[in-house]
Amino acid sequence: MKFPYLGYSETVVRPVIPVTIKLGRRSAQYDMLIDSGADMNILDSEVAKDLGIKLESGTLATFMGVTGEAETVYVHEVTFTVGSESFKTRAAFLARPQPHGLAGQRGFFDHFRVIFDLLAEEVELLPVDFTKTFVTE
């Protein structure tokens, strides 16, 4: 699956893709930045609200953002759908709104091989086949 980078200005483009997030029968469409520097998936409180999630019912955690300030999050299990691929994953919900989510190392990159192509301004996601067995010689 290939997705074009999202343009923010004439000089700024980023690998932001649409993701459907689901919990039970409720779902929300959300733009997520594919971020190799994010340890895990991070979503905002508005998505939690759309899914009927009570933030504080999740597992309390803290992470450090790029600013170096500690952020409180609540971790919940949800389902992501990207293109035709769906998978259960854990996501940390921030108590404050964000312009887009972060698709991180654990919970996203472990489901896809990610190829960033800045010159073509696109990102390619190749689903990982968990049924294959890797043999070393």
Side-chain angles (χ1 to χ4, degrees), residues 50-71:
D50 291 344
L51 297 175
I53 293 173
K54 294 179 182 170
L55 283 182
E56 295 79 15
S57 70
T59 303
L60 178 65
T62 305
F63 78 93
M64 294 288 212
V66 71
T67 64
E69 292 187 33
E71 294 273 0

Side-chain angles (χ1 to χ4, degrees), residues 2 4 10 12 14 16-17 44 53 61-62 68 70 78 87 92 103 107 120 125 129 133:
K2 291 185 181 183
E10 287 186 29
V12 177
R14 295 191 179 129
V16 174
I17 66 167
D44 76 27
I53 293 173
T62 305
V78 294
F87 53 93
L125 304 178
D129 185 353
T133 305

Side-chain angles (χ1 to χ4, degrees), residues 3-7 9-16 33 114-124:
F3 296 89
Y5 277 28
L6 184 62
S9 70
E10 287 186 29
T11 58
V12 177
V13 293
R14 295 191 179 129
V16 174
L33 172 68
V114 180
I115 302 167
F116 296 99
D117 188 341
L118 179 61
L119 295 178
E121 295 185 0
E122 67 183 17
V123 61
E124 184 173 7

Side-chain angles (χ1 to χ4, degrees), residues 63-102:
F63 78 93
M64 294 288 212
V66 71
T67 64
E69 292 187 33
E71 294 273 0
T72 299
V73 295
Y74 298 91
V75 181
H76 293 267
E77 188 172 274
V78 294
T79 299
F80 279 9
T81 300
V82 180
S84 62
E85 299 293 320
S86 292
F87 53 93
K88 286 188 178 180
T89 188
R90 292 168 32 99
F93 288 86
L94 282 167
R96 58 185 170 81
Q98 300 294 305
H100 51 67
L102 301 178

